[in-house]
Amino acid sequence: MSAPEPEPAQPDSTTGPLEKEEAKLWRLALLFVVLLATALAGVSWERLQSLPYHLGSLLPTAVICVAVAFSAFSYGRKKQVSELKNLVQNLKERSIAPSEEQLNQLGQVILRSQRSFKELIDSFDDVAFACSLDGTLRTVNRRVTELLAIPYTEIVDHKVDDFLAEPPLAEVESGLSRFLQKRRWSGTVRVCLKKSTQVRYFECVLNAIVKDDEVVGVSGLARDVTEEREKEKRFTELFESLQEGVYICSPEGRLLDANAALVRMLGYGSKEELLALDAGGLNSDGGQKPVLGRNADDRGGVRAREIAVRRKDGGTVSVLDTSGAAWDASGKIIRYHGTLVDITEQRAMEKALRRQEAFQRDLLESFPDLILVIDLNGRYSFVGSRIRDLLGCKPEDFLGKKVEELPDHSPEFLTVYRDVSSGKMKFGTCEYGTRHRDGGFRNMRAAASPLFGAEGSVSGVIVSLRDITLEKKMMQQIIQTERLAAIGQMIGGFAHELNNPLTSILGVAELLQDDETSEPVRKQLDILQQQARRAADIVQNLMYFSRPPASGRSRINLSELMQRTLALHAYSLRKNSITVDFLPEASLPGVVSQFAAFGTLRKLVYRGKDERAAGTAFHYTGVFTKQSTPMTFSIDKAGKIAGMFFQ
């Protein structure tokens, strides 16, 4: 028996479909990866641009990891397809029907391939789905089942509007014609599930499923951006509700965005009108560079400064500008964001406050008394500059020091401070002596009162200090004058009492002289009469000086005045062996003086020096003889002689 002839070769009817299935699998996988990459790039492009440089550098690493994972997945699928091809090839070569075990093995390989592909899709955190044009869902990933909280079998083959309350079906159908033309759409969709009132936002990328150049369905990838959208909403609300002006500008200084407060601050009617300005539109001075711009070499650090910007009406407003930079993935500055705080009123208040402080300082400097402020710890917290004139010290010599720490402090002053600061006295005064820096002695009068703070409580003691050295001297002079006046009154009484016996002596001497014929007796009577007249003249001069001045004007003979003065001092001159040779000037006219003053002294020769009397108010001392017997003239400011006597 001859061996059976081999059957004629059959056409390779199985290899072709497998190769097509393999090619289809690769195309679907590559298409899915491309769509996924495109969707992620479209959805995240703006956020990637705003990432810092060190985060942006991680993206290539992440892409490499995804590519490696997909390569491993593709390698596994290719291996399974190769096993299927080998199995089919063996079946073809043997020309026998596959066994049930082989068919089961082939089915398991195909099932594992489908399961692995679905596991890859389910591993995405984003929503992935495919549906027909009538809205029937064909497949979804695990994220959709978690979002709807429904099993996979209850989602597939159901309409999309069975699960979504928003967007409405009519809105989707209105945009379907545009989608069929472009076969691609991307954007943000507001979604509300029927089983939940929560509103979500998804950034979606839809691509058409094409068969024989005809769109038969839609595949989509959507990423939940609800949290980002809420953050943007809160940021927008904060951005618009801030009372400070907030802006975003380009590196050249052109405004890109501004909040409502900045629009109002600059006097514009709308944000669009403000953003339409060029980079230099806010400059108060047209010749300057843009006020919000920065130099090309700027590093983007935080900048805080005070600037003047121009309002719409042409006026200027002083603002405090605080800004920082934003970088792209490559580390390049793409924009600046900052705040503008209107400080015009604050600067005006500060200027008014400085004027007020200057006025108060000038007021204290102009005050004749020295102002001191001592806190409750006994330290000087304020010392007026008048201390330089009063004590020759600097305010720094007292500031921060305690009263008892100073070397020349007065116990009386310290006692008054303690009484006022403790509340024992509401107002206290004292007089004490102290030393000037030049070594001179000064009499001071201090008046202290409590210094109240903002809450009405005592925060210290304020002291007014006055130099009363001259006042003390004037008081002593007044006392001396009063004593002289009292002596004058006594002299007037004594002169009146002496005048009567002298008159009797003169009368009797004249009577005896008329009756006496003896020459020696007549000479003695003549001497008696001369001495009596001399005593009467002395008494008359004492009465003249002690008599209070009469009101009105009177004419005075200066020669007579000088003679009377010399007569009063005749004894003291004679006792000191001083001879006065006085020759009155006959042509000297009388002087009209107010209040019986003695006249006006224009010039006095004293020790070879001319002294001017007019415009001064102190005593001039003149010398009549070489024996240096002084004569004192009391001159008022008008140059009037108010007194003349020998010391």
Side-chain angles (χ1 to χ4, degrees):
M1 176 180 249
S2 61
E5 297 179 358
E7 296 181 358
Q10 299 294 328
D12 191 359
S13 59
T14 57
T15 303
L18 288 174
E19 291 177 349
K20 291 181 180 179
E21 185 67 25
E22 181 182 7
K24 183 179 179 180
L25 177 62
W26 277 103
R27 286 196 299 269
L28 288 176
L30 291 174
L31 177 62
F32 181 77
V33 171
V34 171
L35 292 177
L36 178 61
T38 305
L40 290 175
V43 170
S44 305
W45 180 254
E46 292 185 358
R47 288 175 173 79
L48 291 176
Q49 291 291 327
S50 62
L51 287 175
Y53 179 76
H54 66 279
L55 294 179
S57 63
L58 297 177
L59 292 178
T61 305
V63 172
I64 292 174
C65 294
V66 173
V68 171
F70 181 74
S71 299
F73 169 76
S74 301
Y75 177 76
R77 301 288 77 74
K78 183 178 179 181
K79 184 177 180 181
Q80 292 177 359
V81 172
S82 298
E83 292 176 357
L84 289 174
K85 290 174 65 177
N86 293 332
L87 179 61
V88 172
Q89 185 67 26
N90 291 332
L91 291 175
K92 177 181 177 182
E93 291 176 354
R94 295 178 182 179
S95 300
I96 58 176
S99 65
E100 184 177 355
E101 182 180 356
Q102 291 174 336
L103 292 176
N104 289 337
Q105 184 180 1
L106 178 62
Q108 290 177 2
V109 171
I110 296 174
L111 184 61
R112 283 199 306 270
S113 177
Q114 292 177 348
R115 187 181 299 114
S116 298
F117 185 78
K118 190 171 189 310
E119 288 176 356
L120 176 64
I121 302 301
D122 286 341
S123 65
F124 296 156
D125 290 333
D126 296 336
V127 172
F129 63 93
C131 65
S132 59
L133 293 179
D134 61 355
T136 302
L137 292 170
R138 296 305 182 189
T139 183
V140 296
N141 67 343
R142 177 183 52 83
R143 177 59 179 156
V144 177
T145 61
E146 293 175 353
L147 187 63
L148 297 177
I150 300 175
Y152 177 83
T153 56
E154 297 182 12
I155 298 175
V156 177
D157 297 332
H158 288 76
K159 298 285 186 179
V160 176
D161 56 348
D162 291 343
F163 309 103
L164 301 181
E166 191 177 346
L169 182 59
E171 181 179 341
V172 176
E173 292 177 348
S174 64
L176 183 60
S177 60
R178 258 190 336 269
F179 173 75
L180 294 177
Q181 292 176 358
K182 297 184 177 181
R183 298 186 178 184
R184 188 181 184 280
W185 179 87
S186 63
T188 304
V189 180
R190 188 175 186 268
V191 177
C192 182
L193 302 179
K194 287 186 176 181
K195 292 185 177 181
S196 175
T197 58
Q198 182 182 4
V199 177
R200 295 176 178 269
Y201 294 89
F202 290 87
E203 288 186 353
C204 301
V205 177
L206 303 180
N207 290 278
I209 300 176
V210 182
K211 185 177 183 181
D212 297 332
D213 200 25
E214 182 181 355
V215 179
V216 297
V218 179
S219 65
L221 186 67
R223 186 162 64 91
D224 190 353
V225 293
T226 304
E227 185 177 356
E228 290 83 352
R229 191 64 179 263
E230 291 296 330
K231 289 181 180 178
E232 292 177 357
K233 183 180 179 181
R234 289 193 294 269
F235 174 77
T236 303
E237 292 175 353
L238 178 64
F239 183 77
E240 296 296 335
S241 62
L242 286 174
Q243 298 302 312
E244 294 82 6
V246 183
Y247 70 89
I248 300 174
C249 70
S250 65
E252 295 77 21
R254 186 177 182 275
L255 284 175
L256 303 176
D257 198 3
N259 67 342
L262 183 59
V263 175
R264 292 192 302 269
M265 182 192 303
L266 300 179
Y268 286 87
S270 63
K271 181 191 295 187
E272 291 74 17
E273 184 181 4
L274 177 60
L275 299 182
L277 296 175
D278 56 11
L282 296 180
N283 287 19
S284 58
D285 186 357
Q288 297 177 348
K289 63 181 182 179
V291 68
L292 297 181
R294 297 203 190 186
N295 298 327
D297 57 349
D298 183 73
R299 297 181 178 272
V302 176
R303 180 176 69 178
R305 57 183 182 149
E306 183 177 336
I307 58 176
V309 294
R310 186 175 182 271
R311 289 172 49 89
K312 180 182 178 181
D313 56 8
T316 48
V317 55
S318 297
V319 295
L320 183 62
D321 175 29
T322 306
S323 61
W327 295 266
D328 60 8
S330 63
K332 180 182 178 182
I333 296 177
I334 56 176
R335 61 181 177 270
Y336 290 94
H337 48 265
T339 59
L340 296 179
V341 181
D342 188 355
I343 56 174
T344 305
E345 184 177 354
Q346 178 183 348
R347 289 294 178 262
M349 293 177 62
E350 291 176 355
K351 187 176 181 180
L353 182 60
R354 285 195 296 269
R355 287 199 302 266
Q356 184 177 1
E357 290 176 350
F359 172 76
Q360 293 175 354
R361 184 171 57 254
D362 295 340
L363 182 63
L364 290 177
E365 297 297 333
S366 303
F367 202 67
D369 295 346
L370 170 62
I371 303 299
L372 305 173
V373 177
I374 308 173
D375 60 21
L376 297 180
N377 296 323
R379 298 184 181 274
Y380 288 97
S381 58
F382 175 81
V383 178
S385 62
R386 288 281 295 167
I387 195 170
R388 293 186 176 92
D389 301 329
L390 267 64
L391 300 177
C393 302
K394 298 179 181 178
E396 294 78 11
D397 298 338
F398 284 71
L399 287 174
K401 296 182 180 179
K402 288 189 174 183
V403 177
E404 58 267 22
E405 291 178 355
L406 297 176
D408 295 332
H409 76 278
S410 168
E412 297 86 354
F413 182 85
L414 184 60
T415 301
V416 170
Y417 159 74
R418 289 174 176 173
D419 291 344
V420 174
S421 62
S422 62
K424 185 177 180 180
M425 298 174 60
K426 293 296 183 182
F427 183 80
T429 59
C430 70
E431 293 183 4
Y432 65 94
T434 186
R435 289 286 179 183
H436 193 275
R437 279 293 176 90
D438 60 5
F441 187 80
R442 297 289 189 274
N443 291 311
M444 311 300 290
R445 178 184 292 132
S449 60
L451 178 65
F452 295 94
E455 299 178 355
S457 59
V458 178
S459 61
V461 177
I462 183 169
V463 181
S464 173
L465 205 60
R466 175 175 295 184
D467 186 354
I468 59 171
T469 305
L470 294 179
E471 184 178 340
K472 282 285 188 180
K473 291 182 178 180
M474 292 179 63
M475 185 62 69
Q476 293 175 359
Q477 292 178 2
I478 291 173
I479 294 174
Q480 184 66 23
T481 303
E482 290 178 350
R483 290 178 178 176
L484 292 175
I487 293 174
Q489 292 178 357
M490 293 174 62
I491 290 175
F494 294 155
H496 181 72
E497 293 297 329
L498 291 174
N499 195 33
N500 292 330
L502 288 174
T503 303
S504 300
I505 292 172
L506 284 173
V508 172
E510 289 180 357
L511 292 175
L512 292 175
Q513 190 177 18
D514 292 339
D515 296 336
E516 184 61 43
T517 58
S518 174
E519 188 63 26
V521 175
R522 289 180 63 86
K523 289 181 179 181
Q524 292 176 357
L525 291 175
D526 186 55
I527 293 172
L528 177 63
Q529 190 176 13
Q530 290 178 1
Q531 295 302 320
R533 284 199 183 94
R534 181 172 177 273
D537 291 338
I538 292 173
V539 172
Q540 187 66 27
N541 289 334
L542 289 174
M543 293 181 65
Y544 181 83
F545 280 106
S546 64
R547 187 184 301 116
S551 60
R553 295 178 180 272
S554 60
R555 183 173 296 275
I556 298 176
N557 191 330
L558 290 180
S559 299
E560 181 183 354
L561 175 63
M562 190 63 68
Q563 289 177 355
R564 290 178 178 274
T565 304
L566 292 174
L568 286 174
H569 290 272
Y571 175 76
S572 61
L573 293 173
R574 189 168 54 255
K575 183 178 179 181
N576 292 301
S577 301
I578 296 173
T579 302
V580 178
D581 187 6
F582 178 68
L583 298 176
E585 182 66 33
S587 61
L588 185 66
V591 177
V592 178
S593 172
Q594 181 72 22
F595 302 114
F598 301 115
T600 301
L601 185 64
R602 296 299 180 185
K603 184 170 69 173
L604 174 68
V605 178
Y606 167 58
R607 293 182 180 176
K609 183 172 67 173
D610 290 348
E611 298 287 347
R612 300 293 176 180
T616 59
F618 53 91
H619 296 297
Y620 285 90
T621 302
V623 180
F624 280 88
T625 64
K626 293 181 180 181
Q627 287 77 8
S628 300
T629 301
M631 175 180 251
T632 300
F633 300 87
S634 179
I635 313 297
D636 61 14
K637 289 185 178 181
K640 301 292 184 179
I641 301 175
M644 181 185 299
F645 54 92
F646 285 98
Q647 294 181 351

